[in-house]
Structures are given as structure tokens and as C-alpha cells.
Amino acid sequence: MAKNPEPQPSALTYICPFCFSSVDLKDIHYQCTNPACTKIFLRELDEKNARKYRSKNIEEEIDVENSIFLGKDPAGPSPATTKYHIIRNSKGACDICKKPVYKRLCPSCHNPIPQGAEEEGSSVFVVLGPKGVGKSHYIAVLINQLRNSFSPEFGATMSPATDRTTLKYREMYYKRLYEEGRKLSPTLSFEESRDSREPMIYYLRFLEGDSPRVYTLAFFDTAGEDLDSTGKMMGLNLNSFISRASGIVFLVDPLQIPYINTRIRMDNKPPTGGNVANMLSDISNIIRTNNSLKIKDQISIPLAVVLTKADVLMKAPENDEESSILFGMNSSLYVERERGRYDRSNFEQISAEIEEYMRRAVSKGFVQTVKEFKEHSYFAVSSLGSNPTGNMLTRGISPMRVEDPFIWLLNCESLKERKK
């Protein structure tokens, strides 16, 4: 595989959490909030540009860049349009009304660039894992926990970056899971659904204390089959957001691991899944290739390895079950973390226990691949808290430790260095 070095972030470089382009903040686009400018712009277009920017609605112009990002044909019947005029230069003034403009856009996809990007940059976290691991449920519950539990506990606020994020989370996740009490539908592949290509973006702000911090959380609900091979990840351009991430959460379903699946007794047991060791190795290779790392170099992106559906393992052995695949009452998972601060000791105890568990259950090779990441830690979570009955969540939702990996990521040394 040929090496294609990615541009390295600088003081004036912003990694767009939507399209993962490396944006020079001296070369961005703007949007004027005066809708009258759009009408004037469309009225004064010459014939060539009229075909490019004039939509069926005389009050809206075609957003070519955003159309392409959303997988729509700008010249087709339903391109992305906007009633607010786009200024495709970085002068900071509207080319129609000549007044200053403040809404900044990524020049590649025309999604917003937040104020403070020069100081804060973009800290983007991604969630990966094989098909059926529970990524959708984890993301849905994590967002709810971060907004309603984590934020008040740690003095933070979490807000969606766009209206599309609000709508997508509400309609595709929250409504079905929390209001209807039903399991989420399987995630469609990037090849099948263009909607999968647009992440849900949230800004997590810590405004208390001496050093306010702002993080950008990008939730890509990728289908497991999209991560089946290095070639497929490269073909779908998933390599960009993986290699430019500020932190990776890699989910592992214990019920997909053959060693555990054949030894546990439960109803509606799923079949075993793909080789998680190979998938993590592919992800490691993608990062090395895109960032021009040598084999001996450790990867600087922090990695949280997360064992999902841990509730099924937290019980006493039944019949001929082996106790070694379960977490007994002496497990560190039963010890609650200290609230309102980073409980390093608690996380280290859990990580040591889960690392040994993964060494036995998956392979020594998997653990060795994890060590390629300079900062890494292991976790065990449960998004739902109990096994669903068919498609229904008959016992409701009782999440267990889903926010732990993000608390750890936010306290990693590499992230702190970027925020200095």
C-alpha cells in the first residue's frame, strides 16, 4: 500500500469533524445571515453561474460543496440549498452587502467551524467495532449519559453542533430507544446509505476553573462490515477520520468471541463474529500508513478497548459454565468510581483485569496490538443493562459505566498537550 502522508495540524489548522479535511483557517468560507443577499446574488448571476448556483426556489442558492458532501448531485433534482448566501473567500466580509460576516464554514463540506477553533482546535473521538457489537446502542446511550449525567457531574455543557445532529439523534436513536423501548435497527453500510457518512457532532464545553476547554465529539455510527478489511476502509475513505482522530473507542462484544460464546449459557445467544484481533490490526496499519509511522513507532492516538454487554458476564456460574469467563463479586467492575473527578486508580484496576481477560479470551496477539498505541486502557460497559426480549427492551435501559472510556480519553496526556 502506497504511503500518502496526511498534512499535520498546525496552530492555524483545523480538522473538520464532518469531512475530516485538514482546513487552513486562513482559507475558509463564510455565510452571510442576511437573506436579502441571497436574492441579490441569484438575480445578478451570469448564465454560466446561474446553472451552477440557482435553485428552483428563487430565495435559495445551491450549496455545491455541501451537496457533494451529502452525496447529492449539485446539478440534480434535489441538491442541498441554503437561503443564506455563501462567500467563497476568506476576507471576512459579504461580497454582496459588504458587511462583516461571522459564520465560518469548512471550505470542503460547508459545515460550521466553531468560534475558538484557533485556540481549541478540533478534538474528535470515533467509535469503531465489528458488526453486531452494539455501536448504535452504545452511541445512543453515551450521548444521553454525557448530556444528562456526565455534564452536571463534571460542570460541563454538551450541545449539538447543527440542527441535523439534533434531528438525526432524535429520530434515529432517542425516539426508538427511549420512547418506544425498542432495539435499534442495524446500521447500513456507507455504500448503502449516504446518511451514514454524516456524523453527529457535539461540542462538550468545560467552562469552570482556570482553563476552560472545548471538545468536539464526532459520532460516526459505522457499519461493522465497513471495517472488514484495510482495502475497504481505504475505499470508503474511512482512513481519514480514523487516522486523524484524537481518540478511538474500539468495541468488542464478548458474545462474538468463540472462547466465551461456547462457554456461556443464555437465551438467544448470537453467533460468533469476526476476528477482532485482525480488525484492530487493520486499524493500526491504516493509522501507520496515513501518518507515515514506522513499525517501531508507537501510535499517539489514545485507544480505549471496550468490552460491551458486560451485564451478561456479571453473574454466578450456571450449570456447566466456567467461572473464568464471568466477572465474580470480587471484580473491580463492582467498585464504583469516585464522582466528579478522574478516578485514575479505579480505571487502572479495571483496565488490568479486562486486559488479562482479553488475553485469555481473545489472544495474546490482540493485547500486543493494543500495546502499539502509546496510551491505551481497557473497559467493560453495558449500554442497555440487560438482554432485550426479541426487539423489545422489556426491562428498560440501565446503562453501566458507558461514560468511563470518555472520561479516560479526556484525561489522556496527548489530549492535554494539545489543549495547552
Side-chain angles (χ1 to χ4, degrees):
M1 187 183 302
K3 290 188 176 182
N4 296 304
E6 297 287 350
Q8 295 302 306
S10 65
L12 291 175
T13 298
Y14 173 77
I15 301 300
C16 176
F18 292 88
C19 67
F20 280 82
S21 295
S22 182
V23 179
D24 188 333
L25 289 170
K26 296 180 294 183
D27 187 25
I28 61 177
H29 293 175
Y30 287 87
Q31 196 163 30
C32 183
T33 55
N34 183 357
C37 291
T38 302
K39 298 177 184 179
I40 297 172
F41 169 72
L42 293 174
R43 186 172 64 241
E44 296 181 350
L45 287 174
D46 58 31
E47 182 178 350
K48 178 181 178 181
N49 284 317
R51 291 195 299 269
K52 187 175 183 180
Y53 296 116
R54 190 173 289 160
S55 71
K56 296 177 182 178
N57 187 331
I58 60 172
E59 296 185 349
E60 295 184 359
E61 62 185 75
I62 294 172
D63 188 333
V64 175
E65 291 85 347
N66 193 242
S67 295
I68 294 171
F69 168 72
L70 295 174
K72 299 179 178 181
D73 182 358
S78 57
T81 62
T82 176
K83 63 180 180 180
Y84 297 114
H85 176 53
I86 295 168
I87 300 96
R88 291 175 172 82
N89 65 58
S90 57
K91 295 179 180 179
C94 179
D95 53 5
I96 303 296
C97 68
K98 311 304 180 184
K99 293 181 179 179
V101 285
Y102 302 101
K103 185 173 182 180
R104 309 189 298 177
L105 304 176
C106 167
S108 297
C109 68
H110 280 181
N111 278 294
I113 297 175
Q115 295 300 320
E118 289 88 348
E119 294 80 21
E120 300 296 339
S122 177
S123 299
V124 182
F125 305 100
V126 297
V127 180
L128 306 173
K131 183 177 181 179
V133 73
K135 287 190 297 297
S136 297
H137 288 114
Y138 179 73
I139 289 172
V141 174
L142 175 64
I143 290 174
N144 192 63
Q145 288 294 104
L146 288 177
R147 297 191 73 177
N148 299 311
S149 179
F150 171 90
S151 291
E153 179 186 347
F154 286 92
T157 60
M158 183 171 161
S159 57
T162 65
D163 291 339
R164 287 204 296 258
T165 285
T166 300
L167 183 63
K168 184 173 183 177
Y169 179 69
R170 165 75 183 171
E171 295 300 318
M172 295 180 63
Y173 297 88
Y174 188 89
K175 186 176 180 181
R176 182 180 176 98
L177 198 62
Y178 284 92
E179 294 182 357
E180 300 174 0
R182 295 189 295 153
K183 285 175 57 180
L184 299 175
S185 302
T187 304
L188 295 176
S189 166
F190 272 28
E191 292 177 319
E192 298 176 276
S193 171
R194 288 286 181 172
D195 289 339
S196 299
R197 296 183 180 230
E198 183 173 12
M200 292 180 289
I201 306 290
Y202 290 86
Y203 299 134
L204 183 65
R205 297 177 172 90
F206 295 86
L207 303 179
E208 298 179 359
D210 297 331
S211 56
R213 294 164 292 156
V214 180
Y215 298 92
T216 303
L217 308 184
F219 296 99
F220 274 87
D221 193 0
T222 55
E225 54 266 36
D226 289 339
L227 304 173
D228 281 345
S229 67
T230 302
K232 193 163 188 179
M233 283 187 270
M234 294 287 284
L236 294 172
N237 203 31
L238 297 178
N239 55 308
S240 292
F241 84 81
I242 291 173
S243 60
R244 287 173 169 164
S246 300
I248 295 173
V249 178
F250 184 73
L251 303 182
V252 179
D253 180 357
L255 300 178
Q256 291 184 353
I257 300 172
Y259 180 88
I260 299 172
N261 188 283
T262 57
R263 289 166 172 79
I264 197 167
R265 301 292 172 259
M266 61 176 291
D267 296 329
N268 303 316
K269 185 166 57 175
T272 57
N275 190 311
V276 293
N278 289 345
M279 179 174 288
L280 184 60
S281 180
D282 287 342
I283 291 170
S284 171
N285 290 335
I286 283 282
I287 295 170
R288 290 185 181 282
T289 299
N290 275 41
N291 294 334
S292 299
L293 297 178
K294 299 176 181 178
I295 293 296
K296 64 179 181 180
D297 295 334
Q298 281 193 297
I299 296 170
S300 61
I301 302 173
L303 173 69
V305 178
V306 181
L307 196 66
T308 63
K309 306 175 185 177
D311 58 284
V312 302
L313 304 175
M314 299 178 73
K315 64 173 186 175
E318 300 176 16
N319 301 325
D320 58 344
E321 282 184 322
E322 296 181 16
S323 59
S324 62
I325 65 166
L326 304 173
F327 297 116
M329 292 304 297
N330 293 325
S331 170
S332 57
L333 293 176
Y334 288 99
V335 180
E336 292 189 10
R337 63 174 174 82
E338 188 173 339
R339 311 296 292 179
R341 74 173 190 89
Y342 175 45
D343 193 342
R344 183 187 301 274
S345 176
N346 181 256
F347 286 177
E348 288 178 347
Q349 289 176 358
I350 291 174
S351 182
E353 180 179 352
I354 304 301
E355 177 179 350
E356 180 55 36
Y357 185 89
M358 298 296 278
R359 183 180 283 107
R360 296 196 316 268
V362 181
S363 67
K364 294 180 180 178
F366 176 81
V367 173
Q368 201 60 39
T369 301
V370 172
K371 290 181 178 179
E372 294 181 20
F373 294 78
K374 184 176 181 180
E375 293 181 275
H376 60 267
S377 189
Y378 293 83
F379 301 87
V381 307
S382 175
S383 302
L384 304 179
S386 62
N387 199 27
T389 304
N391 286 324
M392 302 305 296
L393 307 176
T394 54
R395 302 179 192 176
I397 300 174
S398 301
M400 185 196 84
R401 310 197 76 135
V402 294
E403 66 273 25
D404 283 9
F406 272 83
I407 295 174
W408 174 78
L409 284 170
L410 293 174
N411 284 276
C412 283
E413 291 302 319
S414 61
L415 205 61
K416 289 180 180 179
E417 287 296 320
R418 292 184 61 180
K419 289 294 175 182
K420 285 183 178 180

